[in-house]
């Protein structure tokens, strides 16, 4: 069956969230909290105001791949004069569907969304598995990124 690509709607939110949690666990998250209500709140608010977009890959009725892009804005800087940034997340492909170009197609779709939104850059914290995909796509490492956990 051919893979079909569609934008995330609230109808698919529950399965999208369960796949996001599965992705985070696969990437090594060990925290023992129920993340579901926090994700549900986030996605409902940001889908509604247009600051989050996601494309899904379907094999029939089964979701086999996900993507996500959050849009944020900060003061303009030289390499991003618009100040608009796309934060790529939720890139996940069902293990039995990997190496078929699904992730690249999903990436194309959310990058197009970021362009349409006016983003000057897209950022991601990539998993070890994702680095090859993002490097091949043209992403470059930025060694200046630091994080302070509150």
């Amino acid at each position: 069956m051919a893979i079909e690509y569609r934008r995330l709607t609230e109808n698919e939110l529950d399965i999208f969230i369960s796949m996001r949690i599965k992705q985070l666990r696969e990437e090594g998250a060990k925290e023992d909290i129920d993340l579901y209500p926090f994700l549900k709140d986030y996605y409902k608010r940001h889908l509604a105001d247009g600051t989050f977009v996601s494309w899904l890959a379907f094999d029939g009725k089964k979701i086999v791949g996900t993507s996500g892009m959050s849009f944020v804005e900060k003061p303009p800087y030289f390499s991003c004069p618009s100040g608009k940034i796309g934060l790529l997340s939720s890139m996940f492909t069902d293990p039995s569907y990997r190496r078929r170009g699904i992730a690249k197609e999903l990436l194309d779709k959310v990058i197009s969304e970021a362009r349409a939104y006016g983003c000057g850059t897209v950022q991601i914290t990539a998993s070890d598995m994702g680095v090859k995909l993002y490097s091949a796509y043209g992403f470059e490492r930025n060694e200046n990124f630091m994080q302070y956990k509150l």
Side-chain angles (χ1 to χ4, degrees):
M1 180 175 276
I3 301 298
E4 182 184 341
Y5 298 90
R6 297 192 303 248
R7 271 184 97 169
L8 172 70
T9 68
E10 218 172 299
N11 294 334
E12 299 93 13
L13 208 45
D14 288 333
I15 188 71
F16 179 79
I17 291 169
S18 69
M19 292 179 79
R20 174 66 174 154
I21 291 169
K22 182 178 179 180
Q23 172 199 5
L24 292 169
R25 294 287 182 216
E26 186 178 284
E27 291 174 354
K30 303 274 189 258
E31 291 79 6
D32 190 23
I33 64 166
D34 180 8
L35 198 55
Y36 180 88
F38 299 100
L39 288 169
K40 182 95 173 200
D41 174 64
Y42 176 87
Y43 292 130
K44 284 183 85 162
R45 284 185 296 113
H46 292 282
L47 279 170
D49 72 10
T51 57
F52 179 79
V53 65
S54 170
W55 281 81
L56 308 174
F58 288 84
D59 184 359
K61 293 184 180 194
K62 180 182 178 184
I63 297 173
V64 298
T66 64
S67 65
M69 184 75 71
S70 298
F71 302 119
V72 298
E73 191 169 353
K74 64 186 216 176
Y77 53 100
F78 287 110
S79 62
C80 184
S82 73
K84 294 179 180 179
I85 300 168
L87 301 176
L88 185 60
S89 66
S90 305
M91 292 294 297
F92 182 78
T93 305
D94 182 296
S96 62
Y97 286 82
R98 291 181 181 161
R99 313 286 309 151
R100 298 186 193 183
I102 293 170
K104 184 183 180 305
E105 183 66 27
L106 290 168
L107 184 56
D108 281 342
K109 292 189 177 305
V110 290
I111 294 287
S112 291
E113 297 276 0
R115 259 192 206 97
Y117 192 83
C119 292
T121 190
V122 171
Q123 299 174 353
I124 186 170
T125 303
S127 68
D128 291 341
M129 269 186 358
V131 169
K132 273 188 172 178
L133 169 68
Y134 306 124
S135 294
Y137 200 87
F139 281 73
E140 298 173 358
R141 286 196 180 275
N142 178 344
E143 301 299 332
N144 292 329
F145 180 77
M146 296 178 73
Q147 177 173 296
Y148 180 76
K149 189 171 181 178
L150 300 174

